[in-house]
Every structure is written in C-alpha cells, then in structure tokens.
Amino acid sequence: MSDRIVYLNGQFVPESEARVSIFDSALMYGDMAFEMTRTFGHKPFRLREHLDRLYGSLRLLEIDCGLSIDEMEKLTRETLERNIPTEADDMDWQIMHDVSRGPLPLYSSAFAAGVQPTVSINCWPLITHTGGFANNYRTGVEIMIPAQQTIPAHLLDLKAKTRSRVHYRMAELQGQRAGGRWPVLLDPDGFLAEGPGWNIFLVRDGVIFTPEPRNVLNGVSRNATIEFAEIPGIEVRETNLGRYEALTADEIFCTATTYSIVHATSFEGQTVGDGQPGPVFQELLNTWKDQVGVDFVTQAFDYAPRVAEWQKNDAKRTAQP
Ligand SMILES: Cc1ncc(COP(=O)(O)O)c(C=O)c1O
C-alpha cells in the first residue's frame, strides 16, 4: 500500500482506501470543481489564489462544500505535511482539490449517513509530471489549432475550473493525432483562447500579449507571469489575438501549474522566431525561478531518469495489502 494520505469527507484515509461513489454527481454530470496547486521546495505556490478560484468555481456551481476557505487551507496544509515524509526530501508535490455536489439525492437510500458534497484533497509526487515533461524545456513545444473550439463564457464560464472538460479532451486527441502537437482552442469569434491545460502568450517587438481573460481559465501561472514580467520591466497587454498574431509573433510560450512556463518552437507548422527560446522567454524563465526559489527546469531533469524506478517502487508499494 502506498503511504500517501488523502483527506476525504472529514477524514484522513490511506490513498488506496479513498473511494467515491458511482452515484456521485461528478460521475453523472462532471458536476464538480477542482484545483491543482504545486509546491516549490515543499511550499504550496499561491495556494490562497488557487483556493479563491476553487471557491469561485463552487459559487458558480452552487455547491456548498461545508468548509470555509480558511478551513480548506488548513486541511490542505495538513494533508501536504502528512505526505511529505513519504518521499525523498527533494520531492515536490501536486496538491489536488476535488469537490463535487456528492451522490445524487435519487440514490440517497444507498447512503446511511445521508448525502453530502464529496470533498477530497490529495497529494501526488511531481516526479511523474515534471520528470516526464523535462525534455519539453529543451525542445520546446509545437502548437496547432484543433478543429475543436472552446466554449464561450456566455454558455459555460471557463473561469470556473470544472471537470466538464470533454471539449479540452477532444482538442488534446486532435493534437495527438497531429503528431503530438499542443492544441490552442479558438473561441467562436476566431480568437485564441487557451490550451486544454495552459494559457498562451505571444511576444512581438519586446511586448508580451495574452488573450483577454474572457473565454479562458484565468490561470494562476498566467497571473504570476503577468506580475513577474513587471520585475524586468516587460510590458504585458491582454487583448484579442488571432492566428495572424501568432504566426507573426517573435516568441510564443505557455504557462501552467506543473511546469510553470515552456516555449513554443512552431505554430501551425511554421517556426516561431528562430525556433530557439527567445530573450523575453529567457528573462521570464529566470524571473520565475528566482521568484519561486527553485530551478524547476534542473529539478525536472533531475527527476526524469528516476521516473521509471519510482513508478516501479510505487506500484510495488501499492500492490502490498
Ligand atoms: C483549461 C486550462 N487553462 C489554463 C490552465 C492553467 O492554469 P494554472 O496556471 O492555474 O495551472 C489550466 C490548468 O489546469 C487549464 O485547465
């Protein structure tokens, strides 16, 4: 059994015993909100910002999870503290919050204690995420526009981070079929929105551009990037951006919680700039590392050769009764 501990509905339980009902509204409708936070040097990065977004998502979904945001923060820190000793000291963590409306009332007779929202907080070592990702820091990523478009905010507001994400999944599948490219979804007006798990930035003549925070998840890493750009004095503009702006950009990069920031080498099959990480990206990458206090690129390359062994050991631990 893995030693990891999960918070689930008022209790700390071993990860292998954390179960959600097949009657849960999450399974029935994707009716739930979630958050993914990471640690740098064991410290959660912008946890309160993630929790603010979680509580905003819950508000939109009209789910009362039964915990105040302060209680959620305390439980999150406690869950992390319980898990940190289960791994080597250099291991950073993913922290996942999953909150659903709970089992559908129709099936309430199957729940002796009554139905309540399902609240879980789990921690997973980042080795499999960033170790598997490391090479992208070297090669950059290739971006394409998939057939799948995004859902505009007036139909379903994507500022809420919910598990109703089939459109993102379709875009990912289309990207995979196109040779492992990263899909950036367009909104119905043809403007760039976001990737299935990341926000996009373009650079032109030393100025950073990113889509308005309208038909996109307002990424915590997106916000951090906008703030960090102020440190070396790089201007950032939030505006409508189309295929043309991307094709004529000097640099393109993506941001997300696990890997923070990565550069793109091509857009729709055409090389971005000279295909190398550009000066604005380099500056921001260094600022990111300074601000979070961890060289997460070196860390990812350090994890990379250990992933297979770690997975083997984890599978062994999980298989033990
Ligand atoms: C659709 C979408 N856009 C953007 C992001 C990036 O957000 P963050 O920087 O908070 O990880 C995510 C993260 O999961 C996402 O799912």
Side-chain angles (χ1 to χ4, degrees):
M1 175 169 92
S2 119
D3 301 325
R4 288 184 295 273
I5 296 291
V6 173
Y7 172 85
L8 182 64
N9 296 338
Q11 287 180 315
F12 288 100
V13 296
E15 182 189 271
S16 56
E17 290 170 24
R19 298 267 183 277
V20 176
S21 165
I22 55 166
F23 300 120
D24 200 283
S25 192
L27 195 63
M28 299 285 185
Y29 291 97
D31 174 20
M32 60 176 295
F34 76 109
E35 270 306 316
M36 194 163 120
T37 307
R38 70 158 285 174
T39 65
F40 288 108
H42 293 174
K43 292 193 186 64
F45 180 64
R46 300 197 168 200
L47 175 59
R48 194 62 179 208
E49 212 177 302
H50 280 282
L51 292 181
D52 277 340
R53 190 169 67 183
L54 176 66
Y55 276 70
S57 305
L58 292 174
R59 180 104 179 154
L60 187 93
L61 296 178
E62 300 180 36
I63 296 175
D64 176 0
C65 73
L67 294 170
S68 69
I69 192 166
D70 288 339
E71 289 166 335
M72 185 68 89
E73 179 168 350
K74 196 159 166 275
L75 287 167
T76 304
R77 293 187 187 281
E78 186 172 348
T79 310
L80 177 64
E81 287 312 315
R82 285 174 181 249
N83 282 286
I84 284 173
T86 66
E87 289 290 337
D89 225 28
D90 71 341
M91 188 64 71
D92 264 314
W93 294 83
Q94 166 197 280
I95 306 167
M96 186 83 87
H97 294 87
D98 285 301
V99 181
S100 89
R101 203 176 304 278
L104 296 187
L106 181 66
Y107 303 99
S108 60
S109 54
F111 300 88
V115 294
Q116 56 178 356
T118 303
V119 180
S120 101
I121 309 170
N122 67 70
C123 294
W124 184 267
L126 264 185
I127 185 167
T128 47
H129 292 70
T130 61
F133 181 88
N135 215 29
N136 289 305
Y137 288 122
R138 190 174 289 143
T139 61
V141 300
E142 297 188 308
I143 297 182
M144 49 86 76
I145 297 176
Q148 176 68 55
Q149 288 193 295
T150 201
I151 299 172
H154 68 276
L155 297 182
L156 179 68
D157 203 324
L158 300 178
K159 289 181 208 81
K161 194 168 160 93
T162 76
R163 293 281 190 201
S164 299
R165 294 170 78 84
V166 172
H167 63 297
Y168 294 135
R169 195 76 194 117
M170 297 305 293
E172 271 173 358
L173 293 173
Q174 289 158 11
Q176 281 164 21
R177 263 208 311 280
R181 293 191 179 168
W182 282 32
V184 60
L185 289 80
L186 298 184
D187 70 17
D189 296 317
F191 295 123
L192 304 179
E194 61 185 343
W198 43 273
N199 292 111
I200 189 165
F201 290 81
L202 314 179
V203 179
R204 184 75 200 257
D205 296 331
V207 177
I208 296 176
F209 297 88
T210 195
E212 287 179 9
R214 190 175 59 243
N215 295 319
V216 300
L217 183 80
N218 294 179
V220 171
S221 329
R222 176 186 183 278
N223 297 343
T225 300
I226 292 171
E227 279 175 45
F228 293 168
E230 277 177 28
I231 298 168
I234 305 169
E235 186 185 345
V236 182
R237 290 188 210 154
E238 297 172 83
T239 185
N240 290 326
L241 300 165
R243 180 190 291 259
Y244 177 83
E245 283 74 24
L247 285 171
T248 54
D250 302 324
E251 302 178 36
I252 301 182
F253 58 87
C254 315
T255 62
T257 287
T258 43
Y259 54 82
S260 306
I261 185 165
V262 68
H263 70 288
T265 50
S266 74
F267 187 90
E268 288 282 84
Q270 299 199 45
T271 304
V272 178
D274 61 3
Q276 299 301 314
V280 172
F281 170 81
Q282 296 276 19
E283 182 96 59
L284 273 174
L285 177 65
N286 290 334
T287 309
W288 256 95
K289 290 178 189 172
D290 283 353
Q291 290 298 306
V292 301
V294 170
D295 181 343
F296 45 84
V297 176
T298 302
Q299 181 188 58
F301 279 104
D302 185 37
Y303 289 162
R306 292 156 48 191
V307 174
E309 186 67 16
W310 183 88
Q311 284 182 314
K312 215 164 67 190
N313 288 336
D314 198 50
K316 252 192 251 158
R317 284 191 293 180
T318 309
Q320 276 165 19

